[in-house]
Amino acid sequence: MELIRRWCSFRLAHPILSGLFYAFAWMLLGALILSLLLWLTQMQEQDLSLYTYIVHAFAMLSGGFVAGKRSTNKGWYQGGITGILYGIIVLLVGFLALDAGMNGKDLLHLGFAFVIGAGGGMFGINLSK
């Protein structure tokens, strides 16, 4: 069994990369749950905007938490950078896939992404000790 663990072990050592991995994993799970809600209930796609923001906020918070927990110091910084990178990737996907334009509102979203990720990083660094 130890041989299998050595060959197939997968661990992201860098705090920001591990935070992004966990953030996108939570976003994937949230998108799956929202898709099931659309399919199984009478919910319309127009009703999803609030729930989508909640899923993204939770994903950024958990990504910042993991980044802060894996870092040795400055958890707010690691979590904030994780939140900003998450926000940039989501904006980039929206820009490339949906032809969504960039405007000043997107900078506000990136600011919120930094604050939410930094908050998760603060909780993560304090719970790791």
Side-chain angles (χ1 to χ4, degrees), residues 73-108:
N73 55 3
K74 294 185 183 175
W76 68 271
Y77 177 75
Q78 301 289 334
I81 296 298
T82 302
I84 283 180
L85 287 176
Y86 178 88
I88 287 172
I89 292 170
V90 168
L91 287 175
L92 190 64
V93 166
F95 177 73
L96 293 174
L98 304 173
D99 285 338
M102 299 281 189
N103 54 22
K105 191 176 177 183
D106 295 333
L107 289 175
L108 184 65

Side-chain angles (χ1 to χ4, degrees), residues 5-6 8-9 19 29 38-39 60 62 65 69 71 73-74 76 78-79 84 90-91 96 103 120 128:
R5 284 188 193 153
R6 273 192 281 156
C8 297
S9 68
L29 182 67
L38 275 176
W39 182 47
M60 283 184 279
S62 66
F65 179 82
K69 193 169 182 171
S71 69
N73 55 3
K74 294 185 183 175
W76 68 271
Q78 301 289 334
I84 283 180
V90 168
L91 287 175
L96 293 174
N103 54 22
S128 68

